[in-house]
Amino acid sequence: MIVLFVEPIRFFDTTLRDGEQTPGVSLTPAEKLEIATHLADLGVHVIEAGSAAASAGERESIRAIADAGLAAECCTYVRALPGDIDLAADAGADSVHLVVPVSDLHIGKKLRKTREQVCEMAWSAIEYAKSRGLIVELSGEDASRADQAFLAEVFREGVERGADRLCFCDTVGLLTPERAAGIIPPLLFAPLSIHCHDDLGFALANTVAALRAGASCAHVTVNGLGERAGNTGLEELVMALEVLYGVDTGIVTEELYPLSTHVARLTGVPLATNKPIVGEMAFTHESGIHAHGVMRDASTYEPLRPERVGRKRRIVLGKHSGSAAVEAALRDMGYAPDSVQLAEIVARIKRLGDAGMRTTDADIMAIADTVMEIEFTPCIELRQFTIVSGSNAIPTASVTMLVNGDEITGAAVGTGPVDAAIRALQESVADVGSVRLDEYSVDAITGGTDALVDVSVKLSKDGKTVTSRGARTDIIMASVEAVIAGMNRLLREEHEDRSQDSD
Ligand code: KIV
Ligand code: ZN
């Protein structure tokens, strides 16, 4: 019999435990509390805050999250050891994710124990955790490679001995949706969670299949962080359930993108540009046919409205763009070219693309100014800048610029020389306008330490944004060039007439 989701589906977020096990990721207690608060506000039901036995910092995080009064259960990972359970209870956790290996591979090779010994450890750990007032989620590690009859026995007796919930772990991502459909129903002795890894790219499909087969809770992480290739992504699962299966998950989906960028910033793990839902390109269109289509009716090339996940649609211009998209972008920038001018602007944008260049807003404005013969006088001119940096110096930048004809000298310190340089530029133009740096990215165009570096930035002022670029062998100069190009476009007189040529 096919079960079509046990609703409401619960979300157990393990960003702060499995997600933090992503190589190179380490979060402070304050950062964990920030993420946990965002997760609870979004509507996840359980937050696995960390592993109480791992470190003092972990226990501090668990304590802070448990005491924060969040609308989510605070859980912690424990092994079947009384010491781990004491640390979890003493840190104030509501529940433990009690993990025991269930495949013969893990029992024999990793623990060097027998099935019977593992069961004995599990039974006494359950009993002890219950005596300490904890909710117990009994998890079978490497469950997809276990003898399924043994796994069912562990789960059945575990529930008999007091486990409140169960969890099936596909530890190295070897499950398939077809197997999940058969494997899950015999294990439903208590509410069952599914915990999937994405080693073969099947985590999301396996999680959905297990939920359809009777599991009622999904273990997820923000941005799919986690050991090796990661876990099932919260944002992908929520939107797949909502869009493809019509499930009301109860998650505040508009917060998915803000949460994703929040976690990317704190973990330092950038989002792949083509990542579903949260990647930079997920709601960006360039090709003429697509851009034209979404301008007429967004559903032609978008499976869901970007606003539903807290995002905005972006049309970028390049060699695949058609005149409708270019005209719309120019209109947003305040230009009103006639049809001959528009055709020439489109042709020049395509030529840039054919030469392998990405087209920024500043490039498009420069093309439009030239084609439409609009005089453009940059309001900022760089006179000099100096950077001091090194092992014994706080990175400091000083810059002298002409801003609307007045010579201004500013200085700033930063976390590094690029940060200091950009801050010095922002401070120097502060009297003309407050310019924010929204995005900064850098590409080395050629290999080696003498590589040409291509810096792209997105700047904003009073709700207006502009992208621009600088390319140099010196990363600081490239950054300064990109920021000044963008500032000159943003700070341009708003009242000037860009509707026709200058005569
Ligand atoms: O993937 C896994 O098996 C785990 C367990 C430790 C729960 O993360
Ligand atoms: Zn895991």
Side-chain angles (χ1 to χ4, degrees):
M1 188 189 73
I2 297 174
V3 183
L4 272 184
F5 299 118
V6 179
E7 290 194 53
I9 293 169
R10 285 163 55 86
F11 294 90
F12 176 118
D13 186 280
T14 179
T15 307
L16 303 180
R17 200 274 301 167
D18 217 324
E20 205 197 19
Q21 287 170 220
T22 306
V25 172
S26 182
L27 296 161
T28 64
E31 289 169 338
K32 283 199 166 194
L33 179 59
E34 256 188 55
I35 295 174
T37 306
H38 210 155
L39 282 164
D41 290 349
L42 192 98
V44 308
H45 304 86
V46 184
I47 295 170
E48 190 173 22
S51 164
S55 71
E58 285 287 272
R59 292 189 282 284
E60 197 189 318
S61 306
I62 295 161
R63 167 58 65 197
I65 293 167
D67 286 353
L70 305 178
E73 179 184 306
C74 174
C75 182
T76 170
Y77 165 94
V78 291
R79 295 164 295 179
L81 300 172
D84 279 21
I85 292 163
D86 279 335
L87 289 169
D90 295 345
D94 301 310
S95 59
V96 284
H97 180 201
L98 169 58
V99 180
V100 290
V102 287
S103 69
D104 290 331
L105 178 69
H106 274 229
I107 292 172
K109 291 265 160 52
K110 191 180 76 171
L111 283 194
R112 296 181 186 226
K113 294 203 183 300
T114 62
R115 288 183 179 187
E116 292 68 31
Q117 286 170 315
V118 165
C119 286
E120 279 316 313
M121 287 172 75
W123 310 154
S124 33
I126 294 169
E127 196 183 326
Y128 188 55
K130 291 312 294 177
S131 78
R132 297 252 13 210
L134 293 157
I135 299 167
V136 175
E137 178 153 332
L138 173 65
S139 213
E141 187 181 13
D142 204 23
S144 47
R145 286 192 289 186
D147 165 357
Q148 295 301 302
F150 172 64
L151 175 63
E153 225 5 71
V154 171
F155 278 180
R156 192 194 56 72
E157 191 159 350
V159 171
E160 235 174 63
R161 288 177 183 261
D164 302 280
R165 309 189 296 246
L166 301 168
C167 176
F168 182 104
C169 290
D170 181 29
T171 301
V172 289
L174 291 172
L175 195 59
T176 61
E178 296 75 21
R179 259 191 94 216
I183 248 175
I184 297 297
L187 302 174
L188 301 173
F189 302 100
L192 182 79
S193 299
I194 177 74
H195 176 109
C196 291
H197 278 269
D198 208 27
D199 298 72
L200 292 161
F202 268 39
L204 175 63
N206 288 334
T207 300
V208 171
L211 292 171
R212 282 175 65 94
S216 52
C217 177
H219 281 207
V220 289
T221 57
V222 178
N223 300 337
L225 292 171
E227 285 274 2
R228 306 179 309 281
N231 292 68
T232 306
L234 167 69
E235 51 291 327
E236 290 181 21
L237 179 63
V238 166
M239 294 322 293
L241 290 171
E242 297 238 348
V243 174
L244 301 176
Y245 295 93
V247 173
D248 178 3
T249 61
I251 295 291
V252 183
T253 59
E254 293 76 14
E255 275 304 309
L256 286 170
Y257 184 61
L259 174 65
S260 161
T261 50
H262 188 182
V263 168
R265 181 168 51 78
L266 294 183
T267 57
V269 180
L271 297 166
T273 57
N274 62 345
K275 200 168 174 51
I277 313 295
V278 292
E280 192 192 336
M281 299 308 167
F283 296 97
T284 301
H285 309 272
E286 179 186 312
S287 88
I289 297 170
H290 287 218
H292 202 194
V294 291
M295 282 190 293
R296 289 210 166 147
D297 181 338
S299 67
T300 52
Y301 289 105
E302 281 175 357
L304 58 130
R305 283 185 305 106
E307 292 76 14
R308 202 165 154 192
V309 292
R311 304 203 61 178
K312 286 204 177 108
R313 172 176 315 117
R314 253 185 5 130
I315 309 276
V316 297
L317 302 181
K319 69 174 174 182
H320 304 107
S321 302
S323 51
V326 175
E327 190 178 17
L330 288 170
R331 210 180 318 116
D332 278 355
M333 294 171 183
Y335 293 92
D338 63 28
S339 57
V340 177
Q341 291 167 332
L342 178 62
E344 179 57 22
I345 295 169
V346 172
R348 290 189 188 205
I349 290 172
K350 284 180 186 288
R351 280 208 291 276
L352 266 186
D354 282 338
M357 313 267 279
R358 268 176 295 134
T359 321
T360 65
D361 296 338
D363 298 327
I364 292 158
M365 288 172 157
I367 292 172
D369 287 339
T370 311
V371 171
M372 297 170 72
E373 296 178 24
I374 294 171
E375 196 179 325
F376 168 58
T377 317
C379 69
I380 302 171
E381 261 180 62
L382 182 67
R383 284 282 183 259
Q384 72 78 33
F385 88 86
T386 311
I387 294 285
V388 179
S389 186
S391 57
N392 287 327
I394 297 172
T396 308
S398 81
V399 7
T400 307
M401 306 198 285
L402 279 188
V403 181
N404 287 330
D406 298 327
E407 189 168 289
I408 304 219
T409 297
V413 295
T415 53
V418 170
D419 186 45
I422 293 176
R423 283 176 194 276
L425 293 174
Q426 286 170 313
E427 279 178 25
S428 304
V429 299
D431 282 349
V432 190
S434 155
V435 176
R436 241 182 49 189
L437 176 71
D438 292 336
E439 282 169 26
Y440 174 93
S441 63
V442 54
D443 279 328
I445 297 173
T446 53
T449 49
D450 58 349
L452 189 61
V453 170
D454 187 349
V455 171
S456 300
V457 295
K458 183 155 130 200
L459 305 175
S460 65
K461 174 184 167 276
D462 305 332
K464 272 196 340 190
T465 63
V466 79
T467 55
S468 54
R469 200 183 49 225
R472 298 285 189 115
T473 49
D474 176 333
I475 188 171
I476 302 166
M477 267 315 292
S479 307
V480 167
E481 186 175 282
V483 170
I484 289 183
M487 281 177 165
N488 269 326
R489 295 295 167 178
L490 263 187
L491 299 174
R492 185 174 189 172
E493 288 300 323
E494 269 135 30
H495 51 74
E496 70 181 18
D497 182 6
R498 279 175 247 165
S499 58
Q500 66 239 317
D501 62 27
S502 50
D503 36 87

